[in-house]
Amino acid sequence: MDVEVPSFDTPVVSGSHTEVCVIGAGIAGVSIAHELVRRGADVIVVDDGPIAGGETARTSAHVSNALDDRFHWLESRHGTEAARIAAQSHAAAIDLIEDNAAMIGLDCEFARIDGWLVPASDRDHGELERELAAAIRCGVAVEKLDSPFPFHRGAALRFRDQARFQPVAYVRGLAAAIIAQGGQIHCGLHVDAIEPGRPLGVRLRGGGVIWAKHVVDATNATITSMVRFPIRQAPYRTYVIAIEIAPGSTLDALLWDTADPYHYVRLAGDRLIVGGEDHRTGHGSDPSYHWNALEEWTRQRYPETGEVVARWSGQCMEPADGLAFIGKNPDLEGVYVVTGDSGNGLTHATIGSMIIPALIEGRDHPYAALYDPGRSTLRSVSTIVREALSSNYPYLDWIGRGDVTDPVDIARGEGAVIRRGVHLIAAYRDPHGVLHECSARCPHLSGVVSWNAAEKTWDCPCHGSRFDPLGRVLNPPAVSDLPAAPAHDEKPQPTEPRTPTERRPRHVR
């Protein structure tokens, strides 16, 4: 389903005052804004790209209350009651998506379907038994049945009342409802900072400002906490392919397995959407390797598939204790955050539209304590330490030699990190042969960025900030562009590259 998205490119009036400013026009920000305007609040939504133009457009659109961290794991960290509330909140989110689609009359292809968890190998049947028992304790509608998939014979878990839909169409519909009810949406506006005070000042690139009583940071990784959230969650790239399949040749259901990283599959008309191959952002090998691995995995199990018609990747923020951070930002009064989406970003975003409007109105919410951004994560200290090591190890790149020794080794349309004295340079040669250089230092916490050859981006392997080929920031926690390359006295580089040399792998996970 191809979806046209309105531009919402009308400029905001600098100095505007509003009750709530929502930063981010993905499913989280737009869902929260929709609920706020429905309750009568004055709301301005801003985004530096189009609505649903970030991770919302990159999701595989599994909508599930069968959480990817597993209920038995959540029980071990938080107890049965907390795991039960987690299951309940995601089920409520699916209901709310369905209700919103029906209320607004959205054509977003929403459908209730079953979800199936299948073991990746014969050794994983014990995992199935543990998850079945825990899910039942948490009140989830689940049962163990024979697998309905030809490529897997044996037991599997069926989770009833899961769903699928087209999230970009859904967000477009919510955005139209926001405008119809008096809310504002302004795209093409980059937020540089939130100034504390009463009111809060939302500082825009170019010098403008929006004054707001409350601010919602719905930017996925958050731009309003430099340290707290980056050390409590880890950025992961996840890969997806769309592959042709004959109608009626496979079950219309969600499927995921017990592999680590796991695979996930759903049907979308005459295409099979297959994802997996997750790894820490900036730590993996060439993305083509991961897409090829997904294709091979798919063809082994679905031999009737045809051509791969699309492939993409997205970014998930994995919280150390398995629960998203939704609610008041402990670091900045008047600011609310929704981050830590894990593999359930669509429902986490929708849970945000339940919790945050209630908190803004000064009311409590039954899910608020579970997702409290200020909660202790001591139960998951081992995970935090492990991910911190992964985040800090790339700082050793500061003493490395870079990817190539000479810029002429960089092909057109490609980038590489090069060393120039004490400096590391993010060098990109555009399709016309012109070399563009930035500092390779991420402005968030000074990690060395890596070139992502498939997405044509610079990715920070420390905390997940991403930048376009010319160094413009795409994803937080960084809020500013890559710094300018330090001045040097060397002669200009040739515009025609030599045949690229083999690059040294960096931090292959």
Side-chain angles (χ1 to χ4, degrees):
M1 180 182 184
D2 294 325
V3 180
E4 282 190 32
V5 175
S7 63
F8 296 106
D9 57 0
T10 55
V12 68
V13 176
S14 181
S16 295
H17 286 258
T18 187
E19 185 178 354
V20 185
C21 180
V22 178
I23 306 170
I27 187 171
V30 171
S31 296
I32 292 166
H34 174 259
E35 182 60 25
L36 285 166
V37 298
R38 195 183 68 80
R39 299 182 185 200
D42 182 26
V43 179
I44 295 176
V45 181
V46 296
D47 198 303
D48 59 3
I51 62 168
E55 296 309 312
T56 301
R58 294 173 172 271
T59 176
S60 63
H62 280 233
V63 191
S64 178
N65 73 329
L67 305 184
D68 69 333
D69 283 315
R70 306 276 163 73
F71 290 111
H72 70 81
W73 188 89
L74 290 173
E75 271 192 315
S76 71
R77 295 298 190 277
H78 303 280
T80 299
E81 179 60 15
R84 185 191 65 78
I85 295 172
Q88 182 186 83
S89 64
H90 285 270
I94 300 173
D95 292 342
L96 182 54
I97 292 170
E98 184 175 29
D99 291 346
N100 281 340
M103 177 177 63
I104 302 171
L106 299 180
D107 179 18
C108 63
E109 301 178 355
F110 182 94
R112 292 278 186 168
I113 54 178
D114 289 335
W116 291 86
L117 173 62
V118 301
S121 72
D122 292 339
R123 298 187 301 274
D124 291 343
H125 287 286
E127 173 74 6
L128 234 58
E129 293 295 338
R130 287 190 295 273
E131 185 63 358
L132 174 64
I136 290 172
R137 288 192 294 270
C138 294
V140 177
V142 61
E143 56 190 330
K144 185 169 76 169
L145 298 172
D146 289 337
S147 168
F149 301 97
F151 58 82
H152 172 75
R153 298 298 183 187
L157 299 187
R158 182 177 76 168
F159 294 84
R160 294 192 296 277
D161 287 330
Q162 310 303 292
R164 57 165 170 78
F165 75 133
Q166 219 296 349
V168 176
Y170 177 77
V171 171
R172 181 193 63 183
L174 292 186
I178 290 169
I179 300 301
Q181 295 175 82
Q184 299 180 50
I185 300 175
H186 300 278
C187 294
L189 296 178
H190 180 82
V191 175
D192 280 332
I194 311 297
E195 292 184 354
R198 296 185 178 180
L200 295 154
V202 180
R203 291 288 173 184
L204 306 174
R205 181 166 295 180
V209 64
I210 299 170
W211 301 104
K213 184 178 180 182
H214 308 281
V215 171
V216 178
D217 181 350
T219 59
N220 188 30
T222 82
I223 62 171
T224 54
S225 179
M226 182 68 77
V227 176
R228 178 184 296 272
F229 298 117
I231 67 173
R232 287 169 172 78
Q233 60 185 3
Y236 277 77
R237 298 305 293 175
T238 186
Y239 296 84
V240 189
I241 61 171
I243 188 167
E244 292 176 339
I245 192 167
S249 60
T250 189
L251 186 66
D252 186 7
L254 306 182
L255 177 142
W256 59 101
D257 65 16
T258 56
D260 185 17
Y262 67 94
H263 304 88
Y264 47 94
V265 183
R266 80 170 179 93
L267 195 61
D270 60 355
R271 298 178 180 182
L272 204 61
I273 310 297
V274 184
E277 289 289 312
D278 300 15
H279 64 77
R280 277 290 297 255
T281 298
H283 291 224
S285 52
D286 187 330
S288 295
Y289 167 83
H290 300 288
W291 283 318
N292 291 341
L294 280 180
E295 182 179 352
E296 180 181 355
W297 182 92
T298 303
R299 294 195 187 284
Q300 288 175 354
R301 290 157 180 80
Y302 298 87
E304 67 274 23
T305 49
E307 180 184 356
V308 174
V309 294
R311 59 183 195 174
W312 65 94
S313 72
Q315 185 147 300
C316 298
M317 305 305 297
E318 293 290 346
D321 64 358
L323 297 172
F325 301 103
I326 304 171
K328 294 180 179 180
N329 185 339
D331 298 332
L332 194 55
E333 187 176 356
V335 174
Y336 302 80
V337 299
V338 50
T339 188
D341 56 354
S342 189
N344 300 92
L346 298 176
T347 43
H348 273 135
T350 308
I351 292 167
S353 75
M354 304 177 199
I355 295 174
I356 290 177
L359 298 180
I360 286 175
E361 292 176 347
R363 299 184 294 105
D364 196 11
H365 191 279
Y367 304 149
L370 183 69
Y371 297 106
D372 180 8
R375 68 181 181 268
S376 170
T377 52
L378 288 178
R379 289 193 184 101
S380 299
V381 67
S382 61
T383 302
I384 292 174
V385 170
R386 183 180 69 248
E387 294 292 0
L389 290 173
S390 292
S391 296
N392 291 328
Y393 179 65
Y395 285 108
L396 294 175
D397 282 337
W398 280 110
I399 61 175
R401 293 177 292 170
D403 296 323
V404 298
T405 57
D406 193 323
V408 298
D409 291 331
I410 302 173
R412 292 185 180 211
E414 296 296 334
V417 173
I418 59 175
R419 177 168 288 283
R420 183 175 296 138
V422 298
H423 302 292
L424 289 174
I425 309 298
Y428 166 71
R429 193 178 300 281
D430 69 24
H432 302 290
V434 178
L435 193 69
H436 304 267
E437 295 183 348
C438 300
S439 169
R441 178 181 65 82
C442 176
H444 173 232
L445 290 175
S446 297
V448 178
V449 296
S450 298
W451 176 248
N452 181 332
E455 301 285 346
K456 306 300 182 185
T457 57
W458 297 103
D459 299 349
C460 179
C462 297
H463 304 105
S465 300
R466 301 177 69 235
F467 308 84
D468 77 4
L470 301 182
R472 292 184 288 256
V473 65
L474 298 173
N475 292 86
V479 295
S480 57
D481 300 338
L482 291 177
H488 64 93
D489 298 327
E490 298 177 17
K491 295 179 181 179
Q493 300 294 339
T495 59
E496 284 299 326
R498 297 194 300 253
T499 301
T501 58
E502 184 72 19
R503 294 187 190 166
R504 294 179 289 278
R506 303 169 69 207
H507 306 311
V508 176
R509 184 174 181 266

